[in-house]
Amino acid sequence: MRANAGRATLVYLALVVPAAMLLFSGVFWFSSSSPVGAGAGLLAFLAAAYLLTAFLYGMALVAQFEAGTWRTVRNALLLPAAEPVRTLGIVLVPVTLGAVAIVFPVFVVVLVTVAFSVGAYASAFLFRSVFTRHMG
């Protein structure tokens, strides 16, 4: 874990910090009552969602490969567009778990004890299939 902590932190800073800034700007633009503001807010939210998806790939790339930080960030930004169907599956795992936890608050106990590991296990198969397709 220590070997990947530095690269993972840099990937986090390169992808999640801009996503948080885009989320803030999306809320700002949606607070205005103009159609241009609504369009800008929608674009900001879509860009933030893309960056958060790239973050999921970035963390998996850091765990799997020994590449440089910026190469990892570049690959993380390219993979969601190259693999849209598998990316949807990768994103649906945490979104579904979070939605079920919101609808059924008692599920949080199951989420903490079992669902995180089952979700990570399911996502690992999707990440493995993406990485296998794109390895040279």
Side-chain angles (χ1 to χ4, degrees):
M1 198 157 134
R2 278 189 194 163
N4 293 334
R7 279 189 325 137
T9 302
L10 291 175
V11 169
Y12 172 82
L13 291 173
L15 295 172
V16 174
V17 171
M21 292 166 49
L22 282 166
L23 286 172
F24 176 78
S25 99
V27 169
F28 170 78
W29 283 110
F30 269 126
S31 69
S32 73
S33 59
S34 72
V36 174
L42 180 65
L43 286 175
F45 281 137
L46 289 174
Y50 190 85
L51 285 177
L52 291 173
T53 303
F55 170 70
L56 293 175
Y57 274 110
M59 290 297 108
L61 287 168
V62 165
Q64 182 69 28
F65 300 105
E66 293 291 329
T69 302
W70 300 118
R71 185 173 182 187
T72 301
V73 170
R74 182 183 62 107
N75 289 338
L77 288 170
L78 292 174
L79 280 172
E83 294 285 341
V85 175
R86 287 181 178 87
T87 298
L88 181 64
I90 290 168
V91 169
L92 280 179
V93 171
V95 168
T96 303
L97 291 173
V100 171
I102 290 171
V103 173
F104 302 110
V106 178
F107 183 72
V108 171
V109 173
V110 175
L111 186 75
V112 170
T113 57
V114 177
F116 281 143
S117 60
V118 171
Y121 186 71
S123 295
F125 286 110
L126 291 167
F127 282 124
R128 188 178 71 178
S129 68
V130 169
F131 295 158
T132 305
R133 286 182 49 136
H134 294 281
M135 284 180 22

